[in-house]
Amino acid sequence: MVKALSTLSNNFNSYIKSLERTRRKIESLFSQGDLSRREIEQIYGSLFLHVVIGFESFIENMFLGLLTNRFKIKESKIVPRVRFQSDIIARDVVLGGKRYVNWLPYEETENRAKIFLRNGLPFKSLDNNEIENLKNIHCIRNALAHRSRYSMQKFEKQVVGSMPLTKREKSPGGFLKSHFRISPTQTRYENLVSEMSTIVAKLCR
């Protein structure tokens, strides 16, 4: 059954809304003193990892779906170079014998798109600001997932940089919990999740 690309966008938004309900609950517990600062920062990190995993799943699902006619393509510029009869076959070819492929850093997706889709569209349609946001998102994801000296140093250099943050806010979890803006109040986690949602909507447009 052929579905609209908007189905993917709707599914992603439903997923992040469910995570947002969790975030609000933990913020309430924190404000009541039932969670420590360390605990809420850990939960912020966990929620962020879930969002990024969902984002990567979205990209893979969309990528394979475009190659198998699983999604209705309204934009005439989106032209697969090759069509596959099923997701299983498409996955085998795209993965090239590997158990999985990386969709982030986003450059990996762009390079793959240039091979399988004419002009790499729609994945080559993001602007420089969106690409930069995805670089930061991937950097934060690695710092949370690996905690290696390299990933932490890269996070501090690429993401934190010269931002006027407290020592706690310079950790991945603390950074996500910190305020992106005061009025209306928005955490950096909320801002980055909003950026991913915007990118998803643009790719599905």
Side-chain angles (χ1 to χ4, degrees):
M1 179 180 176
V2 179
K3 298 180 180 179
L5 274 174
S6 58
T7 303
L8 283 173
S9 179
N10 292 337
N11 289 344
F12 181 77
N13 285 330
S14 294
Y15 181 61
I16 62 175
K17 283 179 181 178
S18 69
L19 295 177
E20 175 61 13
R21 287 193 291 271
T22 300
R23 189 193 70 82
R24 290 183 179 181
K25 287 179 182 178
I26 65 161
E27 280 287 2
S28 178
L29 291 172
F30 178 67
S31 65
Q32 295 168 23
D34 293 327
L35 284 178
S36 68
R37 182 79 185 191
R38 180 183 179 186
E39 287 171 329
I40 195 172
E41 288 175 359
Q42 289 175 334
I43 296 172
Y44 261 89
S46 178
L47 289 174
F48 189 75
L49 285 175
H50 279 291
V51 178
V52 176
I53 290 170
F55 180 76
E56 290 179 293
S57 295
F58 153 77
I59 294 177
E60 180 171 306
N61 199 7
M62 181 178 182
F63 198 102
L64 297 178
L66 291 175
L67 301 182
T68 58
N69 284 327
R70 184 154 41 88
F71 297 112
K72 185 176 182 181
I73 305 173
K74 293 182 179 180
E75 176 55 67
S76 60
K77 293 181 180 180
I78 301 177
V79 182
R81 293 181 182 275
V82 59
R83 302 274 188 184
F84 297 97
Q85 295 299 312
S86 71
D87 268 20
I88 294 176
I89 297 173
R91 185 184 299 276
D92 286 344
V93 175
V94 172
L95 267 60
K98 300 177 182 177
R99 290 189 299 172
Y100 67 92
V101 293
N102 294 319
W103 300 98
L104 293 178
Y106 194 69
E107 181 182 341
E108 299 266 0
T109 295
E110 289 182 308
N111 291 338
R112 200 167 290 120
K114 286 188 288 187
I115 296 172
F116 291 97
L117 296 156
R118 186 181 298 173
N119 298 319
L121 296 174
F123 299 100
K124 286 286 290 180
S125 63
L126 301 188
D127 60 36
N128 291 336
N129 186 56
E130 290 163 335
I131 296 295
E132 188 62 27
N133 284 331
L134 287 179
K135 286 182 180 178
N136 289 338
I137 286 166
H138 181 245
C139 188
I140 297 169
R141 178 258 181 213
N142 283 348
L144 288 166
H146 303 306
R147 291 285 178 174
S148 66
R149 183 177 180 182
Y150 172 76
S151 64
M152 291 301 294
Q153 287 178 336
K154 190 170 183 181
F155 164 75
E156 291 168 4
K157 181 179 180 180
Q158 180 176 315
V159 180
V160 175
S162 58
M163 288 185 186
L165 302 174
T166 66
K167 184 176 181 179
R168 289 203 72 106
E169 292 172 344
K170 290 181 180 180
S171 68
F175 179 83
L176 294 169
K177 174 73 174 71
S178 67
H179 285 109
F180 175 73
R181 66 185 180 200
I182 302 299
S183 182
T185 302
Q186 185 183 49
T187 62
R188 295 187 191 279
Y189 166 91
E190 291 175 277
N191 174 254
L192 291 170
V193 171
S194 176
E195 293 291 346
M196 280 185 269
S197 182
T198 298
I199 290 171
V200 166
K202 183 174 183 177
L203 291 175
C204 290
R205 195 171 301 155

